[in-house]
Amino acid sequence: MEYMGDAIWWDERFKSRENELMPPETKLKSDLKYFAESNRILDLACGDGRNAVYLAKLGHEVYAVDFSKEGLNRLKSFAILEGVGITTKRVDLTSKDKVAKLEVKADAVIINHYRMAKEIYPVLTARIKDGGILWVNGFADVPEDNPNIREQDILQDSDFELLKHWILLDKEKYEVGNRKFVRYVWKK
């Protein structure tokens, strides 16, 4: 099993979850100032949509992408229940070609709890408007209480070394319980 890259594992996980939307990422909620001028937001590795639905309820136009069919099906159901429209697309985010073919130009991109290969970032930048925001949040350390997270799932500063001419607005390391996280905010 690969936490970050096993669609079958994630499909099964989403099937076994209660039919209830998880709350949005707390760090995303506290970082809303970075999205004040963002109309269209691209949520990559969106899962079943906790952040996508939250952002859509705030009035943003959300384009949500994941590789899990079950996750996207749940997201669509939650969006209907919450009365918001969200465009969804099933895409393998490990493929530069597939990321390059995304048919959206966003004001901001969020990536929560997913470590994207650094080679994908230069391709992704074409999907972000000039002056746009890239918000990335994930594990800073392997948590002792979750054996599914591995060393290769941990965000590293070097993941972003190909973001030429981007400005790092903020980087924050923080903890939730015993788990350690890191959040980056970049501006194009």
Side-chain angles (χ1 to χ4, degrees), residues 7-67:
I8 295 170
W9 186 85
W10 278 105
D11 281 344
E12 291 304 315
R13 183 171 176 149
F14 287 128
K15 282 181 188 177
S16 68
R17 281 190 181 170
E18 297 291 326
N19 194 25
E20 185 174 316
L21 183 63
M22 290 174 56
E25 181 68 40
T26 302
K27 182 54 66 181
L28 179 66
K29 290 173 68 174
S30 69
D31 280 349
L32 286 177
K33 63 186 174 205
Y34 295 112
F35 306 104
E37 296 182 23
S38 300
N39 179 39
R40 180 178 285 178
I41 298 178
L42 175 58
D43 184 355
L44 296 180
C46 65
D48 59 359
R50 65 185 181 137
N51 296 320
V53 170
Y54 172 72
L55 292 166
K57 286 175 71 173
L58 292 175
H60 298 282
E61 178 185 349
V62 179
Y63 193 94
V65 175
D66 202 277
F67 68 178

Side-chain angles (χ1 to χ4, degrees), residues 9 15-16 22 31 37 51-52 61 77 93 103 112 117-118 143-146 173 177:
W9 186 85
K15 282 181 188 177
S16 68
M22 290 174 56
D31 280 349
E37 296 182 23
N51 296 320
E61 178 185 349
S77 295
L93 296 173
E103 299 169 354
N112 191 51
K118 67 181 172 185
E144 293 178 13
D145 64 343
N146 188 341
K173 289 188 173 188

Side-chain angles (χ1 to χ4, degrees), residues 20-151:
E20 185 174 316
L21 183 63
M22 290 174 56
E25 181 68 40
T26 302
K27 182 54 66 181
L28 179 66
K29 290 173 68 174
S30 69
D31 280 349
L32 286 177
K33 63 186 174 205
Y34 295 112
F35 306 104
E37 296 182 23
S38 300
N39 179 39
R40 180 178 285 178
I41 298 178
L42 175 58
D43 184 355
L44 296 180
C46 65
D48 59 359
R50 65 185 181 137
N51 296 320
V53 170
Y54 172 72
L55 292 166
K57 286 175 71 173
L58 292 175
H60 298 282
E61 178 185 349
V62 179
Y63 193 94
V65 175
D66 202 277
F67 68 178
S68 170
K69 180 180 175 183
E70 291 300 322
L72 292 173
N73 286 340
R74 286 173 55 88
L75 185 156
K76 291 173 190 173
S77 295
F78 293 137
I80 290 168
L81 287 171
E82 295 292 334
V84 294
I86 297 174
T87 302
T88 61
K89 187 159 181 100
R90 189 172 176 210
V91 175
D92 175 2
L93 296 173
T94 64
S95 167
K96 286 196 294 188
D97 292 337
K98 292 180 181 175
V99 172
K101 291 179 183 173
L102 286 172
E103 299 169 354
V104 63
K105 190 82 163 181
D107 301 305
V109 171
I110 68 167
I111 305 171
N112 191 51
H113 294 224
Y114 177 72
R115 184 180 184 198
M116 185 171 292
K118 67 181 172 185
E119 296 79 19
I120 303 291
Y121 283 105
V123 175
L124 178 60
T125 62
R127 309 280 36 101
I128 303 172
K129 295 179 182 177
D130 288 342
I133 296 295
L134 173 63
W135 184 92
V136 182
N137 184 61
F139 290 97
D141 200 6
V142 176
E144 293 178 13
D145 64 343
N146 188 341
N148 295 318
I149 308 299
R150 304 158 304 155
E151 193 63 40

